[in-house]
Amino acid sequence: MIRNLPDLSVPIDFQALFGRTAPVEIEIGVGKGRFMREYALAHPEKNLLGLEKVPKWMKHAHARVEKAGIENVCLIATYVEGFLERYISDFSVDAYHIYFPDPWPKKKHHKHRIFKESFLRQIERTLKPQGELFVATDHKEYYEVILNTLVSFSRNGLSMLPWERSAFVSNFQAKYEKEGRPIYFCKAVKEGFRTTEMAA
Ligand SMILES: C[S@@+](CC[C@H](N)C(=O)[O-])C[C@H]1O[C@@H](n2cnc3c(N)ncnc32)[C@H](O)[C@@H]1O
């Protein structure tokens, strides 16, 4: 299902939104929705919320999940910036998935990157204890920035844990694995972390 921002309660009542109480996981930047479809099919017991800033991609993702008869996914066309602050309650999310966030490689564009302290503060605030953050990128420099931001956050309760690779493959992961590009994965848990470079 697709929901528009004005139709949402502030903060979101997940029980009302999904019509049931279940673990909640959020994907930021769903793109064309390949990860979301695969993950939702494998985890019908979870409530999955997808955020995507480009309406065209969100509609593409929606068509994909609808075609697969998936009922546990809700998609919202929105920038993540400001969304978590307004719509997501403290300690309400079981996991975040962020696959191939735009790296904005030029220095003058770094300000557009989503990984910054203010963002991680929102991730940390909204995750349940033991809640998880999964990240993958092909961009080494951005990966290092992400790790550094996470390290500075480990004092605040997010720490890194081992994670080899996402078994549920997003569009970008599929494309880059096919090309043989290195992909960097990391996982953080609300309280240890480990990182891996995958030789594809
Ligand atoms: C490189 S694509 C990766 C898409 C998908 N996660 C994958 O791995 O195939 C990044 C996606 O994040 C979305 N995105 C980028 N910045 C965003 C933001 N600030 N809020 C919400 N979505 C964003 C883009 O529109 C795009 O669909």
Side-chain angles (χ1 to χ4, degrees), residues 60-149:
H60 197 295
H62 180 247
R64 251 189 168 152
V65 296
E66 201 173 43
K67 196 171 171 198
I70 290 165
E71 292 184 347
N72 57 328
V73 168
C74 175
L75 298 171
I76 301 173
T78 183
Y79 280 75
V80 69
E81 290 86 351
F83 180 89
L84 303 181
E85 288 86 333
R86 181 167 165 79
Y87 290 100
I88 308 297
S89 302
D90 296 358
F91 309 116
S92 62
V93 178
D94 292 82
Y96 282 95
H97 302 266
I98 309 176
Y99 301 121
F100 304 90
D102 290 339
W104 294 101
K106 289 188 182 152
K107 193 161 187 205
K108 65 179 180 183
H109 293 144
H110 284 181
K111 57 180 183 269
H112 300 305
R113 290 173 166 177
I114 63 170
F115 268 91
K116 27 182 110 127
E117 280 223 21
S118 55
F119 174 69
L120 276 181
R121 217 173 292 127
Q122 292 305 316
I123 299 284
E124 200 271 337
R125 176 185 68 78
T126 54
L127 278 176
K128 294 179 186 171
Q130 297 304 314
E132 297 172 308
L133 165 67
F134 299 92
V135 185
T137 179
D138 62 308
H139 196 278
K140 195 164 195 311
E141 187 265 328
Y142 192 24
Y143 180 66
E144 279 158 13
V145 169
I146 292 169
L147 292 189
N148 286 335
T149 321

Side-chain angles (χ1 to χ4, degrees), residues 27-32 51-54 57 78-81 98-104 112 114 170-173:
E27 184 185 7
I28 298 172
V30 297
K32 293 183 180 173
L51 310 179
E52 171 51 58
K53 74 173 183 182
V54 179
W57 299 139
T78 183
Y79 280 75
V80 69
E81 290 86 351
I98 309 176
Y99 301 121
F100 304 90
D102 290 339
W104 294 101
H112 300 305
I114 63 170
S170 74
N171 292 84
F172 273 68
Q173 184 173 331

